[in-house]
Amino acid sequence: MSAPLNRAPSSGAPSHLDGHLPADHALSPQWQYRDFSLVGRFLSDYPVQDLWDTDFARLPASLARQRRRARTFAEQYLAPVADELDLAAHLPPGECHPAAVAVLREAGRQGWLSYFLPRPLGSMPWSTLRYPAIWQCSLIVEEFGRACGGLMLLLSAHHLGAMPLLLSGNARHIVRHLLPVYRSCERGDPHLVAFAITEPGAGSDAEDGHGAATLQPGVVATPTAGGWLLNGRKCYISGGDLSKSATVFAALQGEGMASWTCFYVDCASPGFRVARTELKMGMRASGAAELELTDVFVPHDRIVGALRQGWALNRATLNASRIPVASMAVGFARAATETALEFARRYTLGGKALIHYQDVQLHLATMVAETRALRSLVWQEARAAWQPRQLHASLAKFHATDRAQLVCEMAMDLLADHGGLHEQRVEKIFRDVRLTRIFEGTNQVNRLSMMEDWQAQLLNGDQPVGV
Ligand SMILES: Cc1cc2nc3c(=O)[nH]c(=O)nc-3n(C[C@H](O)[C@H](O)[C@H](O)COP(=O)(O)OP(=O)(O)OC[C@H]3O[C@@H](n4cnc5c(N)ncnc54)[C@H](O)[C@@H]3O)c2cc1C
């Protein structure tokens, strides 16, 4: 949806930007090599490509296919309902907007809720298994984020919830717990899994360990016959209002945070309650739920990993998920840049389209360069994605999300008064991208995490510090 704009005149409009040579001019960058030698032409020829697809050619075929599919799904199912869900009234726990339900159903059927495992367990094609799942996830969330931040979070938080089960490497758990989840999603009956670490008194501490030594655990597990009783509260849990199960991290009774253990909780268990959902500034299509657990019984065989292994599992999960969070930021930056470009082409000022003003061109060039640089950063840090490391994951997360916000601000600057209007999309992207700087650890805490992982090298005076 776009607001009526002063449209650039369609006839008699120049075929090139003011101050630049037309593309068919002998001196234009595309044609100046026309009369060059064969070798020269071969070396200097370049195809005219779209702004974001220059890396398609270098992507392995299976990943390029995956990205195309994700883009098609996002454009067909996410973008058309993004505004409706953003502006919809805040719903109480237990209620879900019909448009979000329809998206979840279709996403499940198409395999977007089960792509972390190859067939026959999940929906990922075998051909992509040669590459880290983080790469696919990054490609997918970039496309989803470009279409709608809220729906992207709704779909992605489910994978975050399932991640501890996958990372525990327990085949019995994967078959017993994750397989039914994936089957249900593929049937069009979405079974979402939430990831629950944040507690009213513990956000960053729980994610990175800063302050964990003195932290009083908010959810505590007490032993009982055949299992454990969980008591306490978790907050800001994405999708927690709709989830049928959750990976809940809790400390053991009488022990500190070092005893953190991950429990796979059935949300239909007696004592489990969604206390409320938050009205967030952005990403509104995804609920942020406060979960209340009162003597929720969890049998022994639903401990994910092992007792007291929760801390490691949490860190491993976040190391795997922060690179995709950086990719979400790329998606937002792309969306903001595309909107600004479109605006600059259509909006006229002083009788010509905005894009013909040189300072607007400088502005747009910076936005495009920033966005492309962010994508390069993501793939640079994702090279080690078979064994994701805190250093790479935190760096990519904080830098990409910070810079993406800057790109969105530049779009707001360019659109001026139109930027503040909902119809132009930029203000929504601006609200959505802001939240990526908070979740999965605030960006300040991610900076500390990066340094924490690097400290051994930084403090070892005998070793040169290579970056
Ligand atoms: C949209 C959204 C979705 C979310 N989804 C989930 C989810 O699905 N599951 C889940 O468990 N949580 C989720 N969260 C919660 C999120 O992970 C936390 O909000 C985040 O980790 C920050 O924690 P906090 O809000 O408790 O801030 P706090 O940890 O209380 O931090 C407060 C301030 O102190 C700073 N700070 C903290 N520690 C240090 C330190 N050692 N040194 C210097 N500064 C410090 C922080 O940077 C921040 O500025 C979500 C949050 C949002 C906004």
Side-chain angles (χ1 to χ4, degrees):
M1 196 195 331
S2 42
L5 286 177
N6 302 331
R7 287 194 170 269
S10 52
S11 63
S15 61
H16 54 95
L17 296 177
D18 275 7
H20 300 270
L21 294 169
D24 58 357
H25 190 279
L27 296 179
S28 88
Q30 280 155 37
W31 296 108
Q32 59 183 315
Y33 304 112
R34 217 170 11 189
D35 302 324
F36 217 24
S37 73
L38 196 61
V39 177
R41 270 210 305 277
F42 174 76
L43 291 177
S44 43
D45 196 20
Y46 53 87
V48 181
Q49 281 162 325
D50 146 318
L51 284 174
W52 316 120
D53 289 350
T54 41
D55 65 344
F56 248 126
R58 268 168 238 109
L59 270 183
S62 55
L63 296 183
R65 252 195 319 275
Q66 192 80 317
R67 180 194 270 172
R68 266 191 213 100
R69 279 192 61 229
R71 187 173 299 180
T72 305
F73 175 76
E75 288 175 352
Q76 230 176 325
Y77 293 97
L78 308 189
V81 291
D83 278 345
E84 185 183 347
L85 286 166
D86 184 45
L87 297 178
H90 182 63
L91 294 175
E95 287 184 33
C96 185
H97 195 287
V101 175
V103 166
L104 282 170
R105 289 216 169 108
E106 188 56 30
R109 278 190 217 109
Q110 291 200 19
W112 299 116
L113 294 173
S114 52
Y115 66 79
F116 261 95
L117 285 176
R119 298 186 180 98
L121 295 179
S123 62
M124 185 203 288
W126 276 94
S127 54
T128 49
L129 200 63
R130 276 179 292 154
Y131 312 101
I134 290 178
W135 288 11
Q136 294 157 62
C137 187
S138 294
L139 290 170
I140 292 165
V141 296
E142 183 188 316
E143 297 302 329
F144 288 6
R146 171 179 169 254
C148 175
L151 286 168
M152 178 274 298
L153 183 62
L154 182 64
L155 299 172
S156 311
H158 162 76
H159 296 295
L160 188 65
M163 188 74 76
L165 287 162
L166 287 165
L167 288 175
S168 75
N170 184 329
R172 207 169 61 89
H173 269 192
I174 290 173
V175 170
R176 194 157 165 204
H177 300 313
L178 213 49
L179 186 58
V181 166
Y182 281 2
R183 286 281 178 276
S184 179
C185 292
E186 285 161 15
R187 278 197 310 271
D189 176 18
H191 176 145
L192 298 185
V193 185
F195 178 71
I197 53 170
T198 307
E199 300 176 346
S204 309
D205 340 45
E207 294 191 7
D208 289 290
H210 303 285
T214 54
L215 192 74
Q216 290 304 311
V219 176
V220 172
T222 313
T224 186
W228 298 81
L229 292 177
L230 264 53
N231 280 286
R233 281 188 300 147
K234 294 284 183 187
C235 55
Y236 306 122
I237 308 305
S238 297
D241 50 333
L242 301 177
S243 301
K244 293 188 180 165
S245 50
T247 39
V248 177
F249 290 71
L252 305 185
Q253 174 69 43
E255 299 185 41
M257 291 301 288
S259 70
W260 241 24
T261 300
C262 178
F263 296 88
Y264 184 59
V265 176
D266 181 347
C267 300
S269 306
F272 188 100
R273 190 171 82 92
V274 179
R276 60 194 222 138
T277 52
E278 308 293 346
L279 177 57
K280 302 197 298 303
M281 68 181 282
M283 296 185 157
R284 290 203 178 132
S286 156
E290 181 164 329
L291 310 177
E292 194 179 79
L293 295 94
T294 311
D295 284 339
V296 173
F297 176 71
V298 186
H300 286 303
D301 68 355
R302 281 184 161 241
I303 288 174
V304 184
L307 278 179
R308 301 181 185 80
Q309 208 193 50
W311 202 258
L313 210 46
N314 169 51
R315 285 196 178 212
T317 301
L318 294 174
N319 289 345
S321 65
R322 281 176 177 157
I323 295 271
V325 172
S327 278
M328 294 173 189
V330 178
F332 291 135
R334 263 177 69 194
T337 305
E338 285 171 11
T339 309
L341 278 164
E342 183 55 20
F343 181 85
R345 279 162 27 165
R346 286 192 294 138
Y347 189 79
T348 57
L349 197 69
K352 60 180 180 180
L354 211 54
I355 200 165
H356 288 289
Y357 289 86
Q358 219 165 41
D359 45 357
V360 171
Q361 292 172 20
L362 301 177
H363 201 85
L364 290 169
T366 305
M367 291 174 71
V368 172
E370 283 283 352
T371 306
R372 291 176 61 134
L374 290 185
R375 198 196 248 171
S376 303
L377 169 86
V378 170
W379 292 101
Q380 156 86 9
E381 301 307 324
R383 277 180 313 172
W386 280 120
Q387 289 176 306
R389 195 180 148 177
Q390 190 165 305
L391 169 68
H392 302 293
S394 287
L395 186 157
K397 192 270 182 188
F398 77 71
H399 193 73
T401 54
D402 278 355
R403 300 304 285 185
Q405 169 119 27
L406 184 86
V407 174
C408 293
E409 257 184 68
M410 291 186 76
M412 298 273 291
D413 288 342
L414 201 139
L415 269 75
D417 51 352
H418 289 265
L421 300 181
H422 183 77
E423 293 84 18
Q424 295 295 332
R425 289 184 67 217
V426 174
E427 68 85 35
K428 174 183 181 302
I429 303 167
F430 188 77
R431 288 186 282 111
D432 288 351
V433 75
R434 185 63 187 86
L435 294 176
T436 60
R437 296 175 62 198
I438 299 173
F439 62 61
E440 306 228 355
T442 61
N443 280 4
Q444 301 92 299
V445 165
N446 271 278
R447 283 180 168 83
L448 296 174
S449 304
M450 181 202 136
M451 297 302 279
E452 180 186 60
D453 194 12
W454 218 7
Q455 61 185 336
Q457 196 188 352
L458 293 175
L459 294 177
N460 185 343
D462 301 335
Q463 293 287 325
V465 182
V467 178

